[in-house]
Amino acid sequence: MAASVPCSPGWAAGGDGDAAVPGEVESLGLTELPSEVLELILCSAGLLFADIGSASCCCRRLREVCQGRGKVWRRLFRNRWPSLMKYYSQTESLDWREEYKSRHNAGLEAQRIVASFSKRFFAEHVPCDGFSDIETLRCSGRFFEDELMSILNMDGRKGLTLKYYAKKILYFIRQQNILKSLKRFLEQPVDQQSFLEGAVLIDQYCNPLSDISLESVLSQIGDILDKVKKVLQMKNCRHPSLSLKAGEHLLLEDVELQQQVLDALNCVLYVQLKYRGNKADYYNPLNSYIHQVLIRRTGIPISLSVLYLTIARQLGVHLQPVNFPSHFLLRWSQVANGGSDISDYVYIDAFGNGKQLTVRECEYLIGHHVTEEFYGSVSITEVLQRMVGNLLSLGKRESSDPSYQLLRDSLDLYLAMYPDNVQHLMLQARLYFHLGIWPEKVLDILQHIQALDPSQHGAVGYLVQHTLEHIERKKQDTGPEVKAHSDEKHRGIHFSIGLIMKHKRYGYSCVIYGWDPTCMMGLEWIRNMGVHSLPHGPSQPFYNVLVEDGSCRYAAQENLEYNSEPQEISHPEIGHYFSEFTGTHYLANEELQVRYPCDSESTYDVVQKIYNTAKDVDATPQQQEG
């Protein structure tokens, strides 16, 4: 089609077009075909937007068939970006040509921004201050995200650096949208809020790249609800909760009917589905994420309580959350219209298989006496505060994560609920300062702290001074240090970046992303790591390596050897340094090549020598002759 109808390609609609190539068009007889047939031809797989643009220039008839609100451009859009069609209704009347053009331009914009990140932020592991481009996008955010997903879905071994930064940008965009949703949620009247929606928003913010939605969580809870109703029906086929339809609400007043609901709920959750409190791995962050609780069927007291409370309320039992010390509970009133005394309630331990407790048994649970105020019900915001507080505590414990992502995410959530909390503002400022990121943001936070609490002047002044020094050093940065094997001081370097190695003592696989001619760590590190006990001590070359377990290490040359069975290294920072995995080694990206200009050639020579020789040795005599 494109070859037989010569015309200018691209977006041009052309003039009238009737006299363009009349003989050729007439010879094809296209204009005599019904519109439905023409649409079918033009919607055929293989035609690109330029082909459709060219066809619409040929004559008035084809231009009418290819008009923006017709089926041709809609089909072209759907074939190119099928994942976006969920945002459109079947009856929606749009100029699909303009939609296609907007999505196309958004893709170009996304590719430009992603490609620029490595050059701009290679020296910073977390480019927090680089998202100003994203916040001022001129294209549709939905289209921009779709292009980022296209980058992430590229061939697994290629485009590693593009994927690395596309992931960071997508993480940022989604978190910003979720934070806006959380703030809107908190501004709603209390009677319009739900514990489950709040828990899902926290889950989404900490896992922005996962496919988590309130609808999917409600669907899974709906399946549990159906099972509870089946058990309830066997106990009492006339129970009023069984007649409830989707969206209807019921408040049971009879305590016996409520007990039947809770018995059925306990049977389904803890007997049939085997939900459990995760005592063995209590401090795993997954226990706090509601979608993971549903998948793994395990959690901590507060996450299991949110699930338990949500199901019970949908069956007419109005349980209330209790912010009990060390162990979140639910309370169930035994008197009409709620009790005024703590003994008027039964306390439910969702972490302990739904066990019903008295006041005294609650104290036995935590091992000490508490005052009456801790038995009172709390608001949704207070429940979310405790959930985020748990994640904050876990973030502080996760010392193995160099980016402190969980701590940063939970601080963001906490400050979204309590933006003037000086303690957490100071923690956020110290964290950014420690990581060496977003210095301008640090100064903004410190200014806010000073306005809220002038007594923090000393701590604020110290951080302001050192942050300004950091900004000044960045301005005076003369560029990256270049290390070449050809330099005399680097003669002792045996290995090069991109090679997949094995540690002789610990057996782990790793890939080299940097090296020093001698150990550059301080005396305390050298002493703690026992470097002096090595035959060549700290005077030998040391290598920065990404390890298969996700850690980054600094290994002595004498402890490394070539890995005879090279494999991909699953490490979150792999795309920061490398653009592709070839099957035998990693290719350094442009920024790493600037810092190690001779290493790519050295790596290639070593790989050819080691692995090609190994193939020759393994080959049979006939294969070698052939």
Side-chain angles (χ1 to χ4, degrees), residues 123-394:
E124 300 179 41
H125 283 264
V126 189
C128 288
D129 52 352
F131 293 116
S132 56
D133 293 354
I134 313 301
E135 293 173 326
T136 57
L137 281 176
R138 293 167 295 180
C139 59
S140 163
R142 180 187 297 168
F143 291 167
F144 191 87
E145 276 198 44
D146 190 64
E147 184 64 28
L148 294 177
M149 288 302 301
S150 296
I151 293 172
L152 291 174
N153 291 329
M154 290 165 55
D155 181 351
R157 294 185 170 191
K158 296 183 179 179
L160 300 180
T161 298
L162 290 176
K163 291 178 184 177
Y164 176 79
Y165 289 105
K167 186 175 182 179
K168 285 188 175 296
I169 294 170
L170 187 61
Y171 198 101
F172 172 82
I173 290 175
R174 289 190 174 175
Q175 280 197 326
Q176 293 307 298
N177 292 333
I178 296 163
L179 210 55
K180 291 175 184 176
S181 297
L182 176 61
K183 291 177 180 178
R184 287 195 298 269
F185 172 82
L186 295 171
E187 291 170 356
Q188 291 177 349
V190 174
D191 60 349
Q192 295 180 22
Q193 296 176 340
S194 81
F195 294 94
L196 185 67
E197 184 178 358
V200 168
L201 286 166
I202 290 173
D203 190 348
Q204 288 174 328
Y205 192 81
C206 294
N207 303 281
L209 301 182
S210 299
D211 186 15
I212 305 165
S213 69
L214 179 60
E215 292 73 24
S216 64
V217 170
L218 282 171
S219 175
Q220 293 175 75
I221 289 178
D223 293 339
I224 300 174
L225 188 64
D226 290 341
K227 290 181 172 61
V228 175
K229 285 184 175 181
K230 287 181 181 179
V231 173
L232 186 59
Q233 187 172 29
M234 288 189 291
K235 300 289 184 180
N236 181 358
C237 63
R238 296 185 177 181
H239 196 287
S241 297
L242 297 175
S243 60
L244 278 174
K245 296 180 181 179
E248 290 183 345
H249 298 282
L250 170 71
L251 182 58
L252 295 171
E253 295 183 359
D254 185 84
V255 174
E256 178 59 31
L257 291 176
Q258 293 182 49
Q259 182 67 65
Q260 291 174 4
V261 168
L262 297 181
D263 288 343
L265 177 53
N266 288 344
C267 176
V268 171
L269 275 185
Y270 304 111
V271 179
Q272 293 184 10
L273 300 179
K274 309 295 184 186
Y275 275 78
R276 291 290 181 270
N278 196 346
K279 297 177 182 178
D281 193 15
Y282 190 88
Y283 296 104
N284 189 330
L286 299 182
N287 294 324
S288 295
Y289 304 141
I290 194 68
H291 87 282
Q292 287 289 349
V293 171
L294 290 166
I295 292 171
R296 300 163 72 240
R297 299 185 183 182
T298 186
I300 53 176
I302 192 167
S303 58
L304 289 170
S305 292
V306 168
L307 175 62
Y308 195 102
L309 174 150
T310 299
I311 299 172
R313 286 193 172 189
Q314 290 190 35
L315 291 168
V317 182
H318 190 80
L319 302 179
Q320 297 174 319
V322 177
N323 211 3
F324 205 66
S326 306
H327 200 106
F328 199 87
L329 296 171
L330 299 169
R331 72 177 192 178
W332 170 34
S333 175
Q334 301 297 289
V335 296
N337 301 319
S340 57
D341 191 272
I342 60 174
S343 60
D344 292 334
Y345 293 88
V346 166
Y347 298 87
I348 297 175
D349 180 12
F351 186 81
N353 297 346
K355 186 177 180 181
Q356 297 179 4
L357 309 171
T358 64
V359 170
R360 185 173 296 276
E361 287 172 328
C362 291
E363 294 181 346
Y364 289 153
L365 189 66
I366 61 174
H368 61 85
H369 172 72
V370 297
T371 57
E372 289 191 9
E373 62 182 301
F374 290 103
Y375 290 91
S377 65
V378 291
S379 67
I380 289 181
T381 302
E382 290 172 303
V383 173
L384 299 186
Q385 178 189 359
R386 179 150 175 174
M387 295 184 81
V388 172
N390 288 337
L391 292 170
L392 264 171
S393 299
L394 295 177

Side-chain angles (χ1 to χ4, degrees), residues 17-34:
D18 284 78
V21 275
E24 191 165 351
V25 172
E26 287 300 324
S27 67
L28 291 172
L30 289 177
T31 56
E32 299 175 6
L33 296 173

Side-chain angles (χ1 to χ4, degrees), residues 52-123:
I52 303 301
S54 296
S56 65
C57 294
C58 292
C59 65
R60 183 179 289 111
R61 181 70 196 288
L62 286 178
R63 186 163 65 249
E64 290 172 354
V65 174
C66 296
Q67 54 97 9
R69 296 185 180 276
K71 295 180 180 178
V72 174
W73 280 103
R74 180 186 174 98
R75 177 71 66 87
L76 198 66
F77 186 97
R78 186 182 68 189
N79 290 344
R80 179 67 181 84
W81 300 293
S83 62
L84 288 173
M85 295 308 294
K86 62 186 176 184
Y87 299 110
Y88 302 99
S89 68
Q90 288 293 327
T91 58
E92 193 166 10
S93 177
L94 286 174
D95 189 328
W96 289 98
R97 183 175 183 275
E98 286 303 312
E99 286 292 290
Y100 193 105
K101 185 177 179 179
S102 296
R103 173 58 183 86
H104 175 79
N105 290 337
L108 296 177
E109 181 77 353
Q111 291 173 27
R112 181 190 65 79
I113 291 176
V114 172
S116 74
F117 262 54
S118 185
K119 185 178 293 294
R120 294 162 58 195
F121 302 110
F122 181 81

